[in-house]
Amino acid sequence: MALTPARTMPGVLELLPLDQIAFQRMLDTIRRNYERFGFLPVETPAIEFADVLLTKTGGETERQVYFVQSTGALEQGEKPDLALRFDLTVPLARYVAEHERDLSFPFRRYQMQRVYRGERAQRGRFREFYQCDIDVIGKDSLSIRYDAELPAVIYSVFRELAIGPFTIQLNNRKLMRGYFESLGVADPEQQMLVLREVDKLDKRGAGHVRDTLTGEGFGLSPAAVEKILAFVQVRSSSLQDAYDKLDALGAGPEALEQGRAELKEVLGLIHAFGVPETHYALNLSIARGLDYYTGTVYETTLNEHPQIGSICSGGRYENLAGQYTRSHLPGVGISIGLSRLYWQLREAGLVATAQSTVDVLVTQMDEAQLPAYLALAGELRAAGIATEVVLEGGKLGKQFKYADRAGIRFAVVLGEDELAKGVVTVKDLRRGDQFEVVRAELVKTLRVELEQAAAMG
RNA sequence: GUGGACGUAGCUCAGCUGGUAGAGUCCCGGAUUGUGAUUCCGGUCGUCGUGGGUUCGAGUCCCAUCGUUCACCCCA
């Protein structure tokens, strides 16, 4: 009989248990911080009605959507009317519109679920991946102050994730559009194309961008292009520096002035939220997905690993749910693409395989003593220590090997010798040493050991 | 969707100008009966991606096909 190859489709992140534990620790940390800032949990179905997902977008996004259809409908040749969500923002819009009367505003929600995109396989790009989003949605209006709160959450999350120094970079789309307008690029469509081009600055270099913008298709004057390039190269080194650089842009159209005022307020408030000046900065090249962002935009990067790119991004959108409701629902949100982040951190050697969630393995020396082993395990579990008991026996060496490979750090041995002396042997598989402890002291001792192990990492 | 590269054991790969497959690793077992990860010994594993062609003979040449991967597009 021919075997079916055991394989997954490309672009999915499937992990071995110890890596899965490391991944889930990150999820836990993110969730803990989101909740700490007062965000409420929401989950939405992976499958939505296709027309709900595809109303606003179309074009590029539609090409990446997975359509879903029941076998019955498929056999009848019907067009699929269901699809897998490709982000969490569109479902949020639908959610808020649908439950508007039952929610309290400003509505602060967090959501950590998998989304699906029909991408061509590529390094670090997934077809199924986790997004960890927070958004604040206002009814009729939403204070700009919320734009400053999100960086505070980001700061809290990444500080606790302990993946090295990072910088939250900010820009404002009104400021960009206003500046481009002052250079004669007034058409929003063209502004968008210019921004998209400018977004490639880091990747392609200034020369390439200059050539493209002055070349046909754009046809901007060399003088205007130089101004644009100078604009997008603005970075701040401190809060005061950010203020100064914004002022140095000079007077401009309404949009520019508005963007500048917003940025200044947000930058100042972020500081008041307790984010150190070293961890956020003005970066006028940040453009982001321009389809729905209207004001503040964010990107966060790791200072020591710029090649990883943005590990968290988001921004302000004026009208989130316009496709679903006549209510005006402005919002601001950010998203951490955790699958990609985890994958890249692992590539860069910044996250290690975790230890097992099992703290202790109770070995089996003598089958007749099984009740004693089970009682011992029960005692440990009651004390909150995750414990596994070897039920199949076998050589002790094998049992240690099992523990080691499974990432279980401590093995407990209770054999003839120990029983006679009223003690238990505890072996630390990681350090490679072992010691005896009187039976009654076991829980206390293990607690100390586990605490130390956790502290040492 | 556009363009390029590559397809040999689970994994990483070797196989020179064509003569019916190899290494390392992994996994399993053993090295006197209560000690893993190191060492030593032994073992399992492949219709050389698939189909066709050239040839006395193809992993090795040609064509097709499928798959994987990189870049673009776009994005987390």
Side-chain angles (χ1 to χ4, degrees):
Chain A
M1 188 183 79
L3 295 171
T4 302
R7 63 195 188 107
T8 57
M9 69 170 192
V12 298
L13 183 67
E14 187 174 80
L15 304 171
L16 292 171
L18 295 185
D19 293 319
Q20 184 69 37
I21 291 166
F23 184 86
Q24 273 171 204
R25 295 267 184 263
M26 294 181 76
L27 270 177
D28 292 344
T29 299
I30 295 168
R31 181 190 306 276
R32 189 163 52 243
N33 279 283
Y34 284 176
E35 292 190 347
R36 194 176 286 158
F37 275 83
F39 289 80
L40 301 166
V42 161
E43 289 209 350
T44 62
I47 303 175
E48 295 265 3
F49 286 116
D51 61 341
V52 167
L53 291 185
L54 297 171
T55 46
K56 186 175 185 174
T57 50
E60 201 51 50
T61 321
E62 185 157 3
R63 216 179 67 198
Q64 296 193 333
V65 168
Y66 281 108
F67 284 94
V68 178
Q69 197 174 29
S70 72
T71 312
L74 189 68
E75 281 165 354
Q76 290 179 23
E78 286 172 26
K79 278 193 175 170
D81 60 351
L82 302 173
L84 294 175
R85 60 169 173 236
F86 53 84
D87 71 5
L88 299 179
T89 307
V90 173
L92 170 67
R94 188 229 81 223
Y95 183 91
V96 172
E98 185 171 343
H99 303 292
E100 198 179 328
R101 289 178 304 271
D102 302 314
L103 298 172
S104 11
F105 291 88
F107 176 53
R108 305 156 64 81
R109 85 90 173 75
Y110 79 84
Q111 187 170 358
M112 312 199 304
Q113 292 190 278
R114 285 192 269 216
V115 303
Y116 301 84
R117 289 186 197 175
E119 295 257 10
R120 290 279 297 258
Q122 224 168 108
R123 275 176 82 75
R125 320 193 69 177
F126 295 93
R127 287 172 164 171
E128 177 189 72
F129 59 95
Y130 268 92
Q131 285 197 328
C132 305
D133 284 27
I134 46 174
D135 289 84
V136 184
I137 310 297
K139 192 155 190 170
D140 301 321
S141 68
L142 183 72
S143 165
I144 188 82
R145 291 170 194 147
Y146 289 101
D147 293 30
E149 185 185 27
L150 297 193
V153 183
I154 297 171
Y155 171 70
S156 179
V157 166
F158 288 110
R159 192 181 53 164
E160 193 173 333
L161 282 176
I163 52 179
F166 56 91
T167 305
I168 303 164
Q169 318 201 51
L170 290 99
N171 195 2
N172 187 295
R173 288 228 18 234
K174 290 175 192 167
L175 183 83
M176 300 183 95
R177 284 195 186 269
Y179 191 77
F180 293 164
E181 194 187 321
S182 72
L183 295 176
V185 186
D187 175 38
E189 286 286 309
Q190 208 193 357
Q191 287 177 347
M192 191 173 92
L193 291 172
V194 170
L195 283 176
R196 196 168 281 169
E197 202 51 42
V198 153
D199 205 35
K200 295 174 186 163
L201 194 66
D202 291 337
K203 207 169 177 182
R204 298 285 188 75
H208 178 270
V209 174
R210 184 181 292 117
D211 292 347
T212 310
L213 291 180
T214 50
E216 53 185 305
F218 286 99
L220 299 181
S221 75
V225 170
E226 288 313 315
K227 282 193 166 178
I228 289 175
L229 287 176
F231 176 85
V232 299
Q233 271 159 11
V234 170
R235 310 280 186 278
S236 70
S237 56
S238 70
L239 180 54
Q240 189 55 52
D241 185 46
Y243 288 152
D244 293 344
K245 282 180 172 151
L246 283 172
D247 287 337
L249 291 174
E254 172 67 23
L256 186 146
E257 297 304 339
Q258 215 182 326
R260 170 158 44 206
E262 287 187 7
L263 260 180
K264 279 185 167 180
E265 185 173 357
V266 170
L267 287 165
L269 267 176
I270 291 174
H271 196 240
F273 265 106
V275 180
E277 288 182 49
T278 47
H279 283 70
Y280 71 104
L282 191 65
N283 179 340
L284 298 190
S285 75
I286 302 297
R288 300 312 312 155
L290 291 156
D291 34 346
Y292 52 68
Y293 292 129
T294 52
T296 311
V297 285
Y298 319 97
E299 265 187 24
T300 302
T301 50
L302 294 178
N303 300 358
E304 287 165 11
H305 300 272
Q307 79 286 356
I308 287 182
S310 177
I311 57 176
C312 168
S313 38
R316 175 82 174 210
Y317 35 85
E318 238 9 87
N319 192 9
L320 174 70
Q323 309 297 320
Y324 315 107
T325 173
R326 296 193 198 292
S327 303
H328 181 58
L329 302 169
V332 59
I334 54 116
S335 175
I336 301 174
L338 188 61
S339 301
R340 176 188 271 188
L341 174 61
Y342 170 81
W343 187 87
Q344 281 175 317
L345 289 174
R346 209 171 60 164
E347 288 285 297
L350 295 178
V351 288
T353 293
Q355 261 184 51
S356 175
T357 45
V358 180
D359 297 318
V360 173
L361 181 75
V362 176
T363 58
Q364 183 182 133
M365 282 303 307
D366 175 9
E367 201 175 344
Q369 292 297 331
L370 194 56
Y373 302 141
L374 296 179
L376 185 65
E379 213 177 292
L380 296 179
R381 287 170 186 147
I385 298 170
T387 306
E388 175 180 346
V389 183
V390 176
L391 295 178
E392 278 191 320
K395 287 182 161 184
L396 189 60
K398 284 248 171 98
Q399 298 184 33
F400 284 138
K401 189 172 177 177
Y402 168 80
D404 187 46
R405 291 191 52 185
I408 304 170
R409 178 152 180 182
F410 295 100
V412 163
V413 180
L414 183 56
E416 239 178 289
D417 303 350
E418 286 84 0
L419 283 165
K421 293 201 287 190
V423 299
V424 173
T425 296
V426 175
K427 176 158 176 137
D428 182 334
L429 279 298
R430 185 137 158 223
R431 278 209 315 243
D433 60 358
Q434 62 184 54
F435 56 88
E436 288 185 350
V437 56
V438 289
R439 179 75 167 70
E441 299 284 306
L442 180 62
V443 165
K444 212 173 89 187
T445 307
L446 277 175
R447 268 192 178 146
V448 172
E449 289 287 331
L450 288 167
E451 239 169 73
Q452 278 179 355
M456 309 269 289

